Amino acid sequence: KLVYSMKKRRNTIIMINSYKGGSGKTSIALSYCVTRAYRNKKNAIQGKNAADEKVFFIDMDLLGTGSEYMLLGKKEEKVRWLNSEDRSQAGSPLRLEEYVNVLKMKQDPVGEFEMYGILSNPVMDAYFQEEDGFRKNRSVEEAFYRNRIKNILEAIMENGSDNYIVMDCSPGVSGMEKEIMNIIYGESYENKKTQMEVREVYITTYDNGHFKKTLQNLRTIQPLRVSAERNIEVVLNDIHNIPKLKKLSDSQEGIEGGFHLRLEEKTAVEEVQRGLKSFKNLKVCTVAYNRYLAASSLYQNTESVVSHPDKFIFNDKIFREYGAPEYEESNK
């Protein structure tokens, strides 16, 4: 069981994944967190929301990309890492404060706000002993890490607050992540005291190989062991700046060596809906090209989240759910 006893609070767990690296998965995962924390503070100031909600970013990517390069920046204070080899608390309750990094940011008009980071050590190896020494074993590493994540989730949901938890997974749905998915879906289905909402978010670009593979993998992914209904969200991330490419293609049409770009956002979204129509709870969202975020993630131009949260805050023009009235109006 994930939760043994707790107050009846609201817990939202979002697992963010992709079937290809370089899709912007980590940037979007961080944007979910920063946007939520910012809006919570804004609502509290305006008296619209009295909920005591904490926002957590859990880096489940064993490479530690989000933690090492995007989140910490030039953070000088001691970093608390979540390491698969940390077995000192095996069999005893995990102390959440030993793993939480408090990430404080400032942004007008709300001033200072914060979120919490559970950060993976980007260098993690697990070994098992043999007669002639030690040998690395990835499955052993993942098993210990999965237990760490399970214990972290349990500790978060026993802290007495509402919780918004975003889990940034490694590209591709590994066996470890499927097991975590089974655990949290099973808990949401069996234990109504948790008031737990579970969402799976899959990021894809408009690259043909990535786009097609995402649909194929989602159609064939192994079913869960529990009876809970899955909540699937597909996010089409425009990292190629499609509007600019379309404008360029139109200007080049008729010129020798020119090309004509036929891609339309609407047709891509509708193909996702057709391809995944078997899912009862399916949402399709789009993320518009953001040149500020793109520029701030380049080599030698990197801006950390805590230094520039404004680049990670979604608004209705950047992040849109297909089918919402304002989305339809903006695409006529």
Coordinates of all heavy atoms in Angstrom, one line a residue, residues 249-310:
S249 N 7.9 28.6 -45.9 CA 7.6 27.7 -47.0 C 6.7 28.4 -48.0 O 6.8 28.2 -49.3 CB 6.9 26.4 -46.5 OG 5.6 26.7 -46.1
D250 N 5.8 29.2 -47.5 CA 4.9 30.0 -48.4 C 5.7 31.0 -49.3 O 5.5 31.2 -50.5 CB 3.8 30.8 -47.7 CG 2.8 29.8 -47.0 OD1 2.7 28.7 -47.5 OD2 2.2 30.2 -46.0
S251 N 6.7 31.6 -48.6 CA 7.5 32.6 -49.4 C 8.4 32.0 -50.4 O 8.8 32.6 -51.3 CB 8.4 33.4 -48.4 OG 9.4 32.6 -47.8
Q252 N 8.8 30.7 -50.2 CA 9.7 30.0 -51.1 C 8.9 29.2 -52.2 O 9.6 28.7 -53.1 CB 10.5 29.0 -50.3 CG 11.5 29.6 -49.3 CD 12.6 30.4 -50.0 OE1 13.1 29.9 -50.9 NE2 12.9 31.6 -49.5
E253 N 7.6 29.1 -52.1 CA 6.8 28.4 -53.0 C 7.0 28.9 -54.4 O 6.9 30.2 -54.7 CB 5.4 28.4 -52.7 CG 4.6 27.2 -53.3 CD 3.2 27.1 -52.7 OE1 2.8 28.0 -51.9 OE2 2.5 26.2 -53.1
G254 N 7.3 28.1 -55.4 CA 7.5 28.5 -56.8 C 8.9 28.9 -57.1 O 9.3 29.1 -58.2
I255 N 9.8 29.0 -56.1 CA 11.2 29.3 -56.3 C 11.9 27.9 -56.4 O 11.6 27.0 -55.7 CB 11.8 30.1 -55.1 CG1 11.0 31.4 -55.1 CG2 13.2 30.3 -55.3 CD1 11.4 32.3 -53.9
E256 N 12.9 27.8 -57.3 CA 13.6 26.6 -57.4 C 14.2 26.1 -56.1 O 14.9 26.9 -55.4 CB 14.7 26.8 -58.5 CG 15.5 25.5 -58.8 CD 16.5 25.7 -59.8 OE1 16.6 26.8 -60.4 OE2 17.2 24.7 -60.1
G257 N 14.0 24.9 -55.7 CA 14.5 24.4 -54.5 C 13.6 24.7 -53.3 O 13.9 24.4 -52.1
G258 N 12.5 25.3 -53.5 CA 11.6 25.7 -52.5 C 10.8 24.5 -52.0 O 10.9 23.4 -52.5
F259 N 10.0 24.7 -51.0 CA 9.2 23.6 -50.4 C 7.8 24.2 -49.9 O 7.7 25.4 -49.8 CB 9.9 22.9 -49.2 CG 10.2 23.8 -48.1 CD1 9.4 23.9 -47.0 CD2 11.4 24.6 -48.1 CE1 9.7 24.8 -45.9 CE2 11.7 25.5 -47.1 CZ 10.9 25.6 -46.0
H260 N 6.9 23.3 -49.7 CA 5.6 23.7 -49.2 C 5.2 22.9 -47.9 O 5.1 21.6 -48.0 CB 4.5 23.5 -50.2 CG 3.1 23.8 -49.8 ND1 2.8 25.1 -49.4 CD2 2.0 23.1 -49.7 CE1 1.6 25.2 -49.0 NE2 1.0 24.0 -49.2
L261 N 5.1 23.5 -46.8 CA 4.8 22.9 -45.6 C 3.3 22.7 -45.4 O 2.6 23.7 -45.4 CB 5.4 23.7 -44.4 CG 5.3 23.1 -43.0 CD1 6.1 21.9 -42.9 CD2 5.7 24.1 -41.9
R262 N 2.9 21.4 -45.3 CA 1.5 21.2 -45.3 C 0.9 21.0 -43.8 O -0.3 20.9 -43.6 CB 1.1 19.9 -46.1 CG 1.4 20.0 -47.6 CD 0.9 18.9 -48.3 NE 1.5 17.6 -47.9 CZ 2.6 17.1 -48.4 NH1 3.2 17.8 -49.3 NH2 3.1 16.0 -48.0
L263 N 1.8 20.9 -42.9 CA 1.4 20.6 -41.5 C 0.5 21.7 -40.9 O 0.8 22.8 -41.0 CB 2.6 20.4 -40.6 CG 2.3 20.2 -39.1 CD1 1.6 18.9 -38.9 CD2 3.5 20.3 -38.2
E264 N -0.6 21.2 -40.4 CA -1.5 22.1 -39.6 C -1.7 21.5 -38.2 O -1.9 20.3 -38.1 CB -2.9 22.3 -40.3 CG -2.7 23.0 -41.6 CD -4.1 23.2 -42.3 OE1 -5.1 22.8 -41.7 OE2 -4.1 23.8 -43.4
E265 N -1.7 22.3 -37.2 CA -1.9 21.9 -35.9 C -3.2 21.1 -35.7 O -3.2 20.0 -35.1 CB -1.9 23.1 -34.9 CG -1.9 22.8 -33.5 CD -1.9 24.0 -32.6 OE1 -0.8 24.5 -32.4 OE2 -3.0 24.5 -32.3
K266 N -4.2 21.6 -36.3 CA -5.5 20.9 -36.1 C -5.6 19.5 -36.6 O -6.1 18.6 -36.0 CB -6.6 21.8 -36.8 CG -8.0 21.3 -36.7 CD -9.0 22.3 -37.3 CE -10.5 21.8 -37.1 NZ -10.8 20.6 -37.9
T267 N -4.9 19.3 -37.8 CA -4.9 17.9 -38.4 C -4.1 17.0 -37.5 O -4.5 15.8 -37.3 CB -4.4 17.9 -39.8 OG1 -3.1 18.4 -39.8 CG2 -5.2 18.8 -40.7
A268 N -3.0 17.4 -36.9 CA -2.2 16.6 -36.1 C -3.0 16.2 -34.8 O -2.9 15.1 -34.4 CB -0.9 17.3 -35.7
V269 N -3.7 17.2 -34.2 CA -4.4 16.9 -33.0 C -5.5 15.9 -33.3 O -5.7 14.9 -32.5 CB -5.1 18.2 -32.5 CG1 -6.1 17.9 -31.3 CG2 -4.0 19.1 -31.9
E270 N -6.2 16.0 -34.4 CA -7.3 15.1 -34.8 C -6.8 13.7 -35.0 O -7.5 12.7 -34.8 CB -8.1 15.7 -35.9 CG -8.9 16.9 -35.6 CD -9.6 17.6 -36.8 OE1 -9.2 17.2 -37.9 OE2 -10.4 18.4 -36.5
E271 N -5.5 13.6 -35.6 CA -5.0 12.3 -35.8 C -4.7 11.6 -34.4 O -4.9 10.4 -34.3 CB -3.7 12.3 -36.6 CG -3.1 11.0 -36.9 CD -2.0 11.0 -37.9 OE1 -1.8 12.0 -38.6 OE2 -1.3 9.9 -38.0
V272 N -4.2 12.3 -33.5 CA -4.1 11.8 -32.1 C -5.4 11.3 -31.6 O -5.5 10.2 -31.0 CB -3.4 12.8 -31.2 CG1 -3.4 12.3 -29.7 CG2 -2.0 13.2 -31.6
Q273 N -6.4 12.1 -31.7 CA -7.8 11.7 -31.2 C -8.2 10.4 -31.9 O -8.8 9.5 -31.3 CB -8.8 12.8 -31.4 CG -8.5 14.0 -30.5 CD -9.4 15.1 -30.8 OE1 -9.8 15.4 -31.9 NE2 -9.8 15.8 -29.7
R274 N -8.0 10.3 -33.2 CA -8.5 9.1 -33.9 C -7.6 7.9 -33.5 O -8.1 6.8 -33.3 CB -8.3 9.3 -35.5 CG -9.4 10.2 -36.0 CD -9.4 10.1 -37.6 NE -8.1 10.5 -38.1 CZ -7.8 11.7 -38.5 NH1 -8.6 12.7 -38.3 NH2 -6.6 12.0 -39.0
G275 N -6.3 8.1 -33.4 CA -5.4 7.0 -33.1 C -5.6 6.4 -31.7 O -5.3 5.3 -31.5
L276 N -6.1 7.3 -30.8 CA -6.2 6.9 -29.4 C -7.6 6.9 -28.9 O -7.9 7.1 -27.7 CB -5.3 7.8 -28.5 CG -3.8 7.8 -28.8 CD1 -3.1 8.7 -27.9 CD2 -3.2 6.4 -28.7
K277 N -8.6 6.7 -29.8 CA -10.0 6.8 -29.5 C -10.4 5.7 -28.5 O -11.5 5.8 -27.9 CB -10.9 6.7 -30.7 CG -10.7 5.4 -31.5 CD -11.6 5.5 -32.8 CE -11.4 4.2 -33.6 NZ -12.2 4.3 -34.9
S278 N -9.6 4.7 -28.3 CA -10.0 3.6 -27.3 C -9.9 4.1 -25.9 O -10.4 3.4 -25.0 CB -9.1 2.4 -27.5 OG -7.7 2.7 -27.3
F279 N -9.1 5.2 -25.6 CA -9.0 5.7 -24.3 C -10.2 6.6 -24.0 O -10.5 7.6 -24.7 CB -7.7 6.5 -24.1 CG -6.5 5.6 -24.1 CD1 -5.6 5.7 -25.2 CD2 -6.2 4.8 -23.1 CE1 -4.5 4.9 -25.3 CE2 -5.0 4.0 -23.1 CZ -4.2 4.1 -24.2
K280 N -10.9 6.2 -22.9 CA -12.1 7.0 -22.5 C -11.7 8.4 -22.0 O -12.4 9.4 -22.4 CB -12.8 6.2 -21.4 CG -14.1 6.9 -20.9 CD -14.8 6.1 -19.9 CE -16.1 6.8 -19.4 NZ -16.8 6.0 -18.3
N281 N -10.7 8.5 -21.3 CA -10.3 9.8 -20.7 C -9.0 10.3 -21.4 O -7.9 10.1 -21.0 CB -10.0 9.7 -19.2 CG -11.2 9.1 -18.4 OD1 -12.3 9.6 -18.7 ND2 -11.0 8.2 -17.5
L282 N -9.2 10.9 -22.6 CA -8.1 11.4 -23.4 C -8.2 12.9 -23.6 O -9.2 13.4 -23.9 CB -8.1 10.7 -24.8 CG -7.1 11.2 -25.8 CD1 -5.7 10.9 -25.4 CD2 -7.4 10.7 -27.2
K283 N -7.1 13.5 -23.3 CA -7.0 15.0 -23.6 C -5.8 15.2 -24.6 O -4.8 14.5 -24.5 CB -6.7 15.8 -22.3 CG -7.9 15.8 -21.4 CD -7.6 16.7 -20.2 CE -8.8 16.8 -19.2 NZ -8.4 17.6 -18.0
V284 N -6.0 16.1 -25.5 CA -4.9 16.5 -26.4 C -4.6 18.0 -26.2 O -5.5 18.8 -26.3 CB -5.2 16.2 -27.8 CG1 -4.0 16.5 -28.7 CG2 -5.6 14.7 -28.0
C285 N -3.4 18.3 -25.9 CA -3.0 19.7 -25.7 C -1.8 20.1 -26.6 O -1.1 19.2 -27.1 CB -2.6 19.9 -24.2 SG -3.8 19.4 -23.0
T286 N -1.6 21.4 -26.8 CA -0.5 21.9 -27.6 C 0.3 22.9 -26.8 O -0.3 23.6 -26.0 CB -1.0 22.5 -28.9 OG1 -1.9 23.6 -28.6 CG2 -1.8 21.5 -29.7
V287 N 1.6 22.9 -27.1 CA 2.5 23.9 -26.5 C 3.1 24.7 -27.6 O 3.8 24.1 -28.5 CB 3.5 23.3 -25.6 CG1 4.5 24.3 -25.1 CG2 2.9 22.6 -24.4
A288 N 2.8 25.9 -27.7 CA 3.4 26.8 -28.8 C 4.9 27.0 -28.6 O 5.4 26.9 -27.5 CB 2.6 28.1 -28.8
Y289 N 5.5 27.3 -29.7 CA 7.0 27.6 -29.7 C 7.2 28.8 -28.8 O 6.5 29.8 -28.9 CB 7.5 27.8 -31.1 CG 8.9 28.3 -31.2 CD1 9.9 27.3 -31.0 CD2 9.2 29.6 -31.4 CE1 11.3 27.7 -31.1 CE2 10.6 30.0 -31.4 CZ 11.6 29.0 -31.3 OH 12.9 29.4 -31.4
N290 N 8.2 28.7 -27.9 CA 8.5 29.7 -27.0 C 10.0 30.1 -27.2 O 10.9 29.4 -26.7 CB 8.2 29.3 -25.6 CG 8.5 30.4 -24.6 OD1 9.2 31.4 -24.8 ND2 7.9 30.2 -23.4
R291 N 10.3 31.1 -27.9 CA 11.7 31.5 -28.3 C 12.5 31.8 -27.0 O 13.7 31.6 -27.0 CB 11.7 32.6 -29.3 CG 11.2 33.9 -28.9 CD 11.2 34.9 -30.1 NE 10.7 36.2 -29.7 CZ 11.6 37.2 -29.4 NH1 12.9 37.0 -29.4 NH2 11.1 38.4 -29.1
Y292 N 11.8 32.4 -26.0 CA 12.6 32.7 -24.8 C 13.0 31.5 -24.1 O 14.2 31.4 -23.6 CB 11.7 33.6 -23.9 CG 11.2 34.9 -24.5 CD1 9.9 35.0 -25.0 CD2 12.1 35.9 -24.6 CE1 9.5 36.2 -25.5 CE2 11.7 37.1 -25.2 CZ 10.4 37.3 -25.7 OH 10.0 38.4 -26.2
L293 N 12.2 30.5 -24.0 CA 12.5 29.2 -23.4 C 13.6 28.5 -24.2 O 14.5 27.9 -23.7 CB 11.3 28.3 -23.2 CG 11.5 27.0 -22.4 CD1 12.1 27.3 -21.0 CD2 10.2 26.3 -22.3
A294 N 13.4 28.5 -25.5 CA 14.3 27.8 -26.4 C 15.7 28.4 -26.3 O 16.7 27.7 -26.2 CB 13.8 27.9 -27.8
A295 N 15.8 29.7 -26.3 CA 17.1 30.4 -26.2 C 17.8 30.2 -24.8 O 19.0 30.0 -24.8 CB 16.9 31.9 -26.4
S296 N 17.0 30.1 -23.8 CA 17.5 30.0 -22.4 C 18.0 28.6 -22.1 O 18.7 28.4 -21.1 CB 16.5 30.4 -21.4 OG 15.4 29.5 -21.3
S297 N 17.7 27.6 -23.0 CA 18.2 26.3 -22.8 C 19.4 25.9 -23.7 O 19.9 24.8 -23.6 CB 17.0 25.3 -23.1 OG 16.7 25.3 -24.5
L298 N 19.9 26.8 -24.5 CA 21.0 26.5 -25.3 C 22.3 26.5 -24.5 O 22.5 27.2 -23.5 CB 21.1 27.6 -26.4 CG 20.0 27.6 -27.5 CD1 20.2 28.8 -28.4 CD2 20.0 26.3 -28.3
Y299 N 23.3 25.8 -25.1 CA 24.6 25.7 -24.5 C 25.2 27.1 -24.4 O 25.1 27.9 -25.3 CB 25.5 24.8 -25.4 CG 27.0 24.8 -25.0 CD1 27.3 24.4 -23.7 CD2 27.9 25.3 -25.8 CE1 28.7 24.4 -23.3 CE2 29.3 25.3 -25.5 CZ 29.6 24.8 -24.2 OH 31.0 24.8 -23.9
Q300 N 25.7 27.4 -23.2 CA 26.3 28.7 -22.8 C 25.2 29.8 -22.7 O 25.6 31.0 -22.5 CB 27.4 29.1 -23.8 CG 28.6 28.3 -23.8 CD 29.7 28.8 -24.7 OE1 29.5 29.4 -25.7 NE2 31.0 28.6 -24.2
N301 N 24.0 29.5 -22.8 CA 22.9 30.5 -22.6 C 21.9 30.0 -21.6 O 20.9 30.7 -21.4 CB 22.1 30.7 -23.9 CG 23.0 31.4 -25.0 OD1 23.2 32.6 -25.0 ND2 23.6 30.6 -25.8
T302 N 22.3 29.0 -20.9 CA 21.3 28.3 -20.0 C 20.9 29.3 -18.8 O 21.7 29.9 -18.2 CB 21.9 27.0 -19.4 OG1 22.4 26.2 -20.4 CG2 20.9 26.3 -18.5
E303 N 19.6 29.3 -18.6 CA 19.0 30.1 -17.5 C 18.3 29.1 -16.6 O 17.4 28.3 -17.1 CB 18.0 31.1 -18.0 CG 18.7 32.2 -18.9 CD 19.4 33.2 -18.1 OE1 19.6 33.1 -16.9 OE2 19.9 34.2 -18.7
S304 N 18.6 29.0 -15.4 CA 17.9 28.1 -14.5 C 16.5 28.5 -14.2 O 16.1 29.7 -14.3 CB 18.7 27.9 -13.2 OG 18.6 29.2 -12.4
V305 N 15.7 27.6 -13.8 CA 14.3 27.8 -13.5 C 14.1 28.9 -12.4 O 13.3 29.8 -12.5 CB 13.5 26.5 -13.1 CG1 12.1 26.8 -12.7 CG2 13.6 25.6 -14.3
V306 N 14.9 28.7 -11.3 CA 14.8 29.6 -10.2 C 15.2 31.0 -10.5 O 14.8 32.0 -9.9 CB 15.5 29.0 -9.0 CG1 14.9 27.8 -8.5 CG2 17.0 28.8 -9.3
S307 N 16.1 31.2 -11.5 CA 16.6 32.5 -11.9 C 15.6 33.2 -12.8 O 15.4 34.4 -12.8 CB 17.9 32.4 -12.6 OG 18.9 31.9 -11.7
H308 N 14.9 32.4 -13.7 CA 14.0 33.0 -14.6 C 12.7 32.2 -14.7 O 12.4 31.5 -15.7 CB 14.6 33.1 -16.0 CG 15.6 34.2 -16.1 ND1 15.3 35.5 -16.4 CD2 17.0 34.2 -16.0 CE1 16.3 36.2 -16.4 NE2 17.4 35.5 -16.2
P309 N 11.9 32.2 -13.6 CA 10.6 31.4 -13.7 C 9.6 31.9 -14.7 O 8.8 31.1 -15.2 CB 10.1 31.6 -12.3 CG 10.7 32.9 -11.8 CD 12.0 32.9 -12.4
D310 N 9.8 33.2 -15.1 CA 8.9 33.7 -16.1 C 8.9 32.9 -17.4 O 7.9 32.8 -18.1 CB 9.2 35.2 -16.4 CG 10.6 35.4 -16.9 OD1 11.5 35.0 -16.1 OD2 10.9 35.9 -18.0

